[in-house]
Amino acid sequence: MSQPPPSASEQGLVERWAALGGESERRQFVEQHPEILDPRQVERLCDEVGRQKWIDLPTAERLARAAVGLADRLEGDVTLARAERALANTLHKKGDHRGAMRAYESALARFELAGCDLEAAVTRSSSLSNLVYLGEYERADRWVSRARETFAEAGDHLRLARLDLNYANVLYRQDRWREALELYHRAWRSLERLGGPEDLAICLSNLAVCQISLANFTEALDVYRRAREHCQTHGLRLLLHEIDYNIAYLHYLRGEHLRAIRLYQSARVRFEELGDDQHTALCDLDQAEIFLELNLVEEAAQLASAAHRRFEKLGMGYEAAKAQCYQAIASGRRGQAFAALDLLARARRIFEREQNLVWPALIDLYRALIYYGEGRLYEATSLALAARRHFDRHGLATKLAMCEILLARLELQLDRPDGARVTALGAIEKLRPLRIATLLYQAYFVLGQAEEAAGRFHRAGRAYAASRSWLERSWSGLETNELKIAFLEDHLVVYESLVWLGLERPELGWTAPRILGWMERAKSRGLADLIAFRAHALPPRRSPQGDLVEEIRELREELGWYYRQLDQQQLDRPWLAEGPPAEGGRGGPENARPERPSGTARRREERLRRTLEAVRRGDRELGSLQDGAPVEIEEILGALPEDALLVEYYVARNGLYAAVATGERVEIRALTPLSRVREAYRQLQLELGRVRPAVRGVRRGGGEQTARQPLRRLYDELVRPLEPLLDRRHLIVVPHGFLHHLPFPALEDGGQALVDRHVISCAPSASVFHLCSVKPTAPGDRLLVVGAETASSPEVSGLAALPNCELLAAEALAAEGLDAAALGERLDGYRFVHLASRVGYRPDNPMFSSLELGSRRLSLFELYDLRLSAEVVSITGCGSDLAAVPGGDELVGLVRGLLYAGARSVLAGLWDSPGESSSRLLELFYRRLAGGGDAARALRHAMREVRDSFPDPADWAPFALIGGAGYIKTPAAAP
């Protein structure tokens, strides 16, 4: 049984010991109190160390060092050995595994010399986890056997149970999970009768970790809840926080990135307060990995750097090197090639010292990729070949294929397309039986490039089509660690190549509708990739889909765990790369993980595919966001109203194309090099930047003419070549990339603006327009304005005068602390919702931008959880930071969230505009809507009327209407 807690007097003495800082203070304390030179005092300190290491690690270490110092003066080997063992246990908990091993070995030698066999066995049992961290599995096996024999002879069932618990940890680290699970359960049955609170808590925690590795997530969470309650009941603070850390890792494995981040951040604060440097660093390391997956590069770099410093101080070489690799990846993504190479070289040296079998070769591949990006092709080739030899020698097929994909790309750069073709085919041959979609699509893409470079365009087309097929079989958000160093950072380049080849090589005979379908697939896949790690948690739009959505969530979580565990098999457990161990060695083949998805995993993939198809039949919008599958182009065009024309822009290989489509025809035109459009757009940004002081009441002259110059250039590049085809009143414009930020109604031919001839609305894609156009909306004409507390701004006060308007103070809304579902209920039931808010953009990952409602920041992912039924939701402050934003994903992500929440259309601000003109425009827009007009025509009417008083386009064209607006199936004249 565990020792009883110390008496009050004993506890006071322990507290005085704990307050002492260094060796000199402890020596002085002993000299002042010679009566404490007593072996019983050492025993009390050791007992308290056992309690404090689960509560306050720095205090435990101070007490352990005091016990060692005191025992050393007593000159009793057994007493000193017990103190050294207590110190070893503390150092192991702290992460100083080498220091702990020295203390364990010293204690063991003293016990054996004194003939204390039972104490020696306890020391061997206690040291097992530490031996595992040092990779000394054979010594661990020997020590287990000797300790078990000693405890059995003594009839010590408690220590036999603790030995089972410790040896189960050894089996777990060897990936012998089922054996470990059986041993944990056996230990639990004994410890439940004989053990103390710490024993039971440790057993429960380790049992849950083992359940995670066996993909038993529900069971793992249940065990963790029991362990947390147990730790809270018994005041085991440090173990409680370790459990929270493990729960965070569980959510990460399941793909619940945002929840994992929150838990890691909370656990890290507590570990730092308790002085647990090892777990503090582990939190930083895991979070850095998550941030890399989310492309939040700055955060990843900072956390990886902090983790490296702590691991280096703790002497944890493997973890320190891994942190440096994450720093290097972050540096590479920031364009800091030389810094990345230096970090990788240092990490490689550490992994070699650690005798890791896989990481040095993987680092060679990382370095080869960086050299490839820098144009240093021969250095890249040398490193890639070295990595390939290593992976081939150890039978690591996936990483071998990665090397061959890179080598094929290098052959292309060296103008050797036939060599690239042979190498790419070799990679495909290795990957095809493994069916790894995320690598197969890259291998087929390189093959297509090789065939194209050799002038074999029909073969190139077939290879690109195969690449697209494998890309669409890959599950967004479930990619493995291989894609941290992906060759194709932009997955959509596959579609670009198909579009370009179809348009530039007419001998292939590809039809315009087919090519337009690829444009649509690219845009749908792009949005699915943006929200991939959140897709599994998207709520269904229709309640009957709830069970299917829950099944998708579970399947995605299981597959995400599986793919991540496969990577850890070859990186964090390098011994598994050596091949099947000999009989009696580190586990048998029946305990090892399969190398790649097969059997159960493939059945889950097929089940996920079937479930997504079922969801798509009932909720096409949710299905599209889950897997990027668009509405078929024939269906979209067949449903277009007679007076509507689809104008879809697409960028491929730095050229700009436009498809103009009706229900009867599709024509695609090559327009201009993208650089010409980008230059005109930059000039427009500069002119709009000069307008912004007007928001603060300072006008500047000449704005109308200077802003109109780039608008004319943009018209010439984007619209004039299409004029013969624009024979319908309503233009549904589908931009691409930064074109989402263009004010299409204000583009002018020198005499008239586009809005003078057409009703104009926009959409992220034709599929989104089609899905939004058929949404039901709230009846009536109620307008809800969420704005400032006093409604004193011109924007809000102008709308407040409308008879159908209701005001809701943003600060009052923020103070309610509503979650997304409750917030949606507050906003639902209104036909029009106006959010007088601003948006904080994240250029590195647009999906981490946020909508500011008073003091509340509503993340874009929360927008997807809202439930609205509005015909129009307006966001007027979303253009404030766009001058610094390079692409269009940030606007698309914001708008798409509101559209998925139920809005039929979104009125989005493209830039800050003067208060008087914008407030007048909004007032006219909502009056027209309340009178029965549709949103696209209402915006056209408001723009033209405001232009009479404010002729500068910066004043009358700051908004874009995006979504399913203006979907009228019968011909209607423009007002």
Side-chain angles (χ1 to χ4, degrees), residues 616-639:
R616 200 179 300 113
R617 287 193 293 270
D619 190 338
R620 300 175 75 181
E621 190 169 10
L622 175 59
S624 177
L625 286 173
Q626 287 281 352
D627 65 358
V631 179
E632 293 300 325
I633 198 67
E634 292 78 11
E635 181 180 351
I636 296 171
L637 299 182

Side-chain angles (χ1 to χ4, degrees), residues 546-853:
D547 292 342
L548 290 175
V549 171
E550 179 63 19
E551 185 176 352
I552 288 173
R553 183 189 65 78
E554 291 177 358
L555 288 168
R556 277 182 172 270
E557 288 173 356
E558 289 179 14
L559 285 169
W561 165 86
Y562 188 87
Y563 296 146
R564 286 183 174 87
Q565 290 292 75
L566 288 169
D567 294 317
Q568 297 306 312
Q569 169 182 312
Q570 296 179 344
L571 297 179
D572 287 349
R573 289 154 173 83
W575 56 84
L576 291 179
E578 299 173 356
E583 187 175 351
R586 304 185 186 124
E590 71 278 3
N591 293 302
R593 283 177 291 220
E595 190 193 22
R596 278 293 153 189
S598 61
T600 302
R602 287 183 184 167
R603 287 192 293 273
R604 281 176 168 82
E605 289 176 341
E606 185 56 36
R607 184 176 157 199
L608 176 56
R609 189 171 283 106
R610 290 197 304 269
T611 307
L612 281 169
E613 289 172 357
V615 166
R616 200 179 300 113
R617 287 193 293 270
D619 190 338
R620 300 175 75 181
E621 190 169 10
L622 175 59
S624 177
L625 286 173
Q626 287 281 352
D627 65 358
V631 179
E632 293 300 325
I633 198 67
E634 292 78 11
E635 181 180 351
I636 296 171
L637 299 182
L640 283 176
E642 293 181 7
D643 71 332
L645 192 71
L646 179 72
V647 182
E648 181 152 350
Y649 292 95
Y650 190 75
V651 178
R653 299 190 180 180
N654 295 316
L656 186 61
Y657 300 86
V660 179
T662 66
E664 298 81 35
R665 73 177 195 273
V666 177
E667 294 191 41
I668 304 178
R669 300 279 177 89
L671 298 181
T672 184
L674 187 64
S675 57
R676 294 170 62 90
V677 181
R678 193 178 292 279
E679 180 56 36
Y681 171 58
R682 286 179 181 142
Q683 185 182 349
L684 179 63
Q685 283 183 305
L686 289 174
E687 296 304 326
L688 295 176
R690 296 192 183 106
V691 175
R692 287 181 183 170
V695 180
R696 298 186 293 272
V698 180
R699 299 293 297 173
R700 60 107 172 101
E704 175 187 353
Q705 295 303 319
T706 56
R708 289 173 68 179
Q709 291 172 4
L711 290 170
R712 289 170 186 161
R713 286 185 60 192
L714 289 165
Y715 183 95
D716 289 339
E717 303 291 355
L718 300 175
V719 180
R720 195 175 298 281
L722 306 177
E723 282 180 339
L725 305 175
L726 304 183
D727 56 358
R728 305 290 170 97
R729 177 64 70 178
H730 181 191
L731 302 186
I732 304 162
V733 179
V734 179
H736 193 199
F738 69 90
L739 300 184
H740 284 284
H741 300 318
L742 294 184
F744 280 91
L747 304 188
E748 60 169 274
D749 62 2
Q752 281 187 313
L754 199 59
V755 73
D756 292 317
R757 297 197 297 272
H758 299 280
V759 176
I760 300 168
S761 63
C762 297
S765 70
S767 295
V768 170
F769 174 81
H770 180 76
L771 292 169
C772 291
S773 63
V774 295
K775 287 181 181 177
T777 59
D781 62 355
R782 290 198 303 164
L783 165 64
L784 176 67
V785 176
V786 181
E789 189 77 48
T790 61
S792 59
S793 71
E795 176 183 324
V796 175
S797 59
L799 297 178
L802 297 175
N804 61 328
C805 179
E806 299 175 30
L807 289 179
L808 179 59
E811 279 304 329
L813 189 65
E816 294 183 40
L818 304 174
D819 61 17
L823 179 61
E825 290 180 8
R826 291 293 304 273
L827 303 181
D828 199 19
Y830 293 88
R831 186 179 170 198
F832 314 115
V833 176
H834 183 86
L835 304 175
S837 59
R838 298 178 68 83
V839 176
Y841 283 110
R842 284 293 304 263
D844 51 351
N845 189 331
M847 300 310 293
F848 278 85
S849 302
S850 59
L851 189 66
E852 299 173 5
L853 291 176

